[in-house]
Amino acid sequence: MIETIVVTVPNNEVVISTPGPQGPRGKSILNGAGVPSENLGLEGDFYYDKNTTRFYGPKPTDLTWAGTTSYLLNMTLEYTWEMTQVTGPVSGVYSVVINHNLGMKPNVTIKSSAGDVLETGIDYNSNNTITLTMAQPFSGTAYLS
């Protein structure tokens, strides 16, 4: 004996009702060229400076960005010097001072003007300045990240 099974599929209906109340405003990521102006954004918003690649936020109050933390997102800096900018020798050592203003002690890669990767002494004077020391003066580029 063969039994028959009947399957019925109900029609799906979409019922549209009156919308509820507006939810709270979400946080925004704003952007522009330069430091954010005080009247831009609300408390909790963030801001990206397209000139410096700094990211600010969250905004502490609706009135001001003062006290907001900012982070430098693109932290690669190239500093090129010529042999005439090398000082020394002092006690047999030549040096180049680099004011990078990155606010940290960066990784440093040195290339001579001929393209050779070289090792030099690196003195971290502060979070914004380093001194490269070398046995012989040369022109080159420091890559800081």
Side-chain angles (χ1 to χ4, degrees), residues 27-31 40-48 55-59 65 68-69:
K27 305 304 179 201
S28 295
I29 299 177
L30 309 164
N31 70 79
L40 182 66
L42 299 174
E43 181 178 341
D45 285 348
F46 295 84
Y47 177 84
Y48 176 73
F55 190 73
Y56 295 81
K59 187 175 184 183
W65 287 92
T68 301
T69 303

Side-chain angles (χ1 to χ4, degrees), residues 3-4 8 11 16 19 21 25 29 41-43 48 66 68 78-79 90 100 106 108 121 126 130 138 142 144:
E3 291 187 34
T4 304
T8 58
N11 291 334
I16 299 176
R25 175 189 175 275
I29 299 177
L42 299 174
E43 181 178 341
Y48 176 73
T68 301
E78 290 182 25
Y79 180 87
V90 175
H100 55 77
V108 181
S126 71
I130 61 173
F138 62 90
L144 287 67

Side-chain angles (χ1 to χ4, degrees), residues 29-106:
I29 299 177
L30 309 164
N31 70 79
V35 176
S37 63
E38 298 295 359
N39 64 349
L40 182 66
L42 299 174
E43 181 178 341
D45 285 348
F46 295 84
Y47 177 84
Y48 176 73
D49 179 354
K50 295 185 284 187
N51 288 347
T52 64
T53 71
R54 280 204 174 273
F55 190 73
Y56 295 81
K59 187 175 184 183
T61 71
D62 288 350
L63 302 176
T64 183
W65 287 92
T68 301
T69 303
S70 70
Y71 303 94
L72 188 59
L73 299 182
N74 180 4
M75 293 190 265
T76 301
L77 175 73
E78 290 182 25
Y79 180 87
T80 301
W81 71 92
E82 298 298 323
M83 200 168 341
T84 57
Q85 295 172 276
V86 177
T87 59
V90 175
S91 301
V93 176
Y94 296 86
S95 63
V96 174
V97 176
I98 299 174
N99 294 311
H100 55 77
N101 295 319
L102 292 174
M104 64 174 197
K105 295 178 180 170

Side-chain angles (χ1 to χ4, degrees), residues 107-140:
N107 293 313
V108 181
T109 302
I110 305 296
K111 284 189 178 180
S112 70
S113 56
D116 299 320
V117 176
L118 301 175
E119 289 188 28
T120 66
I122 302 169
D123 293 319
Y124 292 94
N125 306 328
S126 71
N127 282 340
N128 293 308
T129 307
I130 61 173
T131 300
L132 306 179
T133 56
M134 54 200 84
Q136 297 294 320
F138 62 90
S139 300

